[in-house]
Each structure stands twice: as structure tokens, then as C-alpha cells.
Amino acid sequence: PGASRVYMMALSGLTDTAQTRKLQQVLCAVSLYNPGIGYCQGMSYVAAVLLMYVSPPEAFWLLNWMLQDLPNALGSYYTRSMSGVIRDSSLFAHMIGIHLPSLHRHLVRRPAAIHTTCMHVCRQAANHSLTLHDGRHGIHELMYATPWFMTLFTSLPSWSSALRVFDMFFLEGTPAIFRFSMAVLQICEGMAPC
């Protein structure tokens, strides 16, 4: 099948047995090779994109390079504690405050009790109906940064934009994720009343 079809199948959960088997093999091998990291769901998105362009062994080594060896590697994003995502989303929120202060004020309208753990943020979202526009609560940065950072924006509707994120990431590491995230929010800032 064509590359975009395999991509969509891998990301949407549809099954192409051969591609699914390759994806499972790469993810199992990566989790065994990196016991400190293990497996985390966001990895499947990244591995699926790699498998569109390289063989399973090459995808294995490339994913390992992205997790461990690349400057500003992704490994801490996929640990049990998700320490890298928590750290980087907090840093990103600070950057929003500096570069997009109006949007930052709008986003941080939230109860002071929200902590920076995913489980607590999810409970808060379920219990308090966190929305962008209600004026009483804001959106915790983990709510939008987690899927962006952990999947390298593979859920974007623009395939060429998703691939651009990978290109930028290969050149710069995680700073590319910050830059792309900031660009997305700059676009959104013009759309949302702050």
C-alpha cells in the first residue's frame, strides 16, 4: 500500500497484518533493548512513521537513536514517570508566557490545585470540565503538550507538516518540538478570542 495509507492505518488502529506485525516487532525490540524506558503508547506513532521509510531493523536503530543518543533525546518522555514530558510541557508553558502572553493568560485560568501528573490532570478534566472558553478554568499544558510531544505531531491533518516535524527533530532534537508547538499556538492565538 501507499505510504500515506500505511500511515493512516497505523495511526487509526486499522489492521494491515504485515505492517502491524512489523510495528509490534519494532516496539517489542525497543522495549526489551531499553528496559528503563519500556513501551509507551506514543512510541507507536513515531515507529509507524519510521516504518514507512525504512526496514524494521533500521526503524529499531533509528528509534533507539531518537530515544537515547540524539542530543535532547526523547527517552524521558516514554518512561513510567513521563518526567521528560512533564518537564518540557512546564518549560513550554513558561515560553508561552514570554512569547504569547495574552494566550498564556487565557490558558492558565485554572484552579491552583492542578498538579503536574497526568492522572491528576485527567481527573481534573473529568471533574471540572476544563475548556478554553469558560473563563473559570484553563487548560493545563499537559493536556495539549503530551500528545504533541510524545507523537511528534503525527496526528496533524497535514501529512507534509507531520513529516516536517520529523525532519526538524532529526536536525535539532526536542528544541524543534518547542518551535513547532509555538508556531501552532501562534496560529491558534489569532483564531481564539483572548
Side-chain angles (χ1 to χ4, degrees):
S4 61
R5 180 169 165 252
V6 172
Y7 169 76
M8 294 309 294
M9 288 169 47
L11 298 184
S12 66
L14 299 175
T15 56
D16 175 327
T17 309
Q19 292 300 325
T20 301
R21 195 169 29 255
K22 289 177 185 177
L23 182 59
Q24 289 173 338
Q25 290 170 345
V26 168
L27 293 171
C28 285
V30 167
S31 67
L32 290 171
Y33 189 77
N34 300 289
I37 297 172
Y39 168 76
C40 187
Q41 190 172 3
M43 277 185 198
S44 62
Y45 291 80
V46 176
V49 172
L50 297 177
L51 283 169
M52 291 177 52
Y53 297 99
V54 298
S55 69
E58 291 169 321
F60 166 80
W61 288 113
L62 187 52
L63 187 54
N64 276 301
W65 176 73
M66 294 170 75
L67 294 173
Q68 296 181 349
D69 299 331
L70 178 71
N72 304 304
L74 293 176
S76 62
Y77 282 16
Y78 302 112
T79 61
R80 185 176 300 265
S81 68
M82 296 173 59
S83 61
V85 171
I86 292 169
R87 178 198 62 234
D88 285 357
S89 65
S90 178
L91 177 59
F92 184 60
H94 182 71
M95 290 172 58
I96 296 168
I98 294 169
H99 299 287
L100 302 170
S102 177
L103 181 61
H104 184 261
R105 282 190 300 278
H106 194 69
L107 290 171
V108 297
R109 291 182 193 151
R110 63 177 185 250
I114 294 181
H115 301 294
T116 56
T117 63
C118 291
M119 293 304 289
H120 189 75
V121 169
C122 291
R123 276 195 300 274
Q124 289 290 330
N127 295 335
H128 295 288
S129 301
L130 297 178
T131 63
L132 183 59
H133 301 293
D134 74 358
R136 296 175 297 143
H137 304 293
I139 297 177
H140 195 278
E141 56 272 6
L142 284 172
M143 299 295 281
Y144 53 87
T146 300
W148 291 353
F149 290 11
M150 291 184 72
T151 67
L152 293 181
F153 288 91
T154 54
S155 59
L156 289 177
S158 168
W159 176 241
S160 61
S161 295
L163 291 179
R164 179 79 38 109
V165 173
F166 272 74
D167 288 344
M168 290 169 48
F169 179 79
F170 290 146
L171 289 172
E172 302 173 12
T174 54
I177 298 172
F178 286 93
R179 288 189 358 185
F180 199 85
S181 300
M182 190 63 70
V184 167
L185 289 183
Q186 285 173 330
I187 292 168
C188 292
E189 182 181 37
M191 298 175 172
C194 291

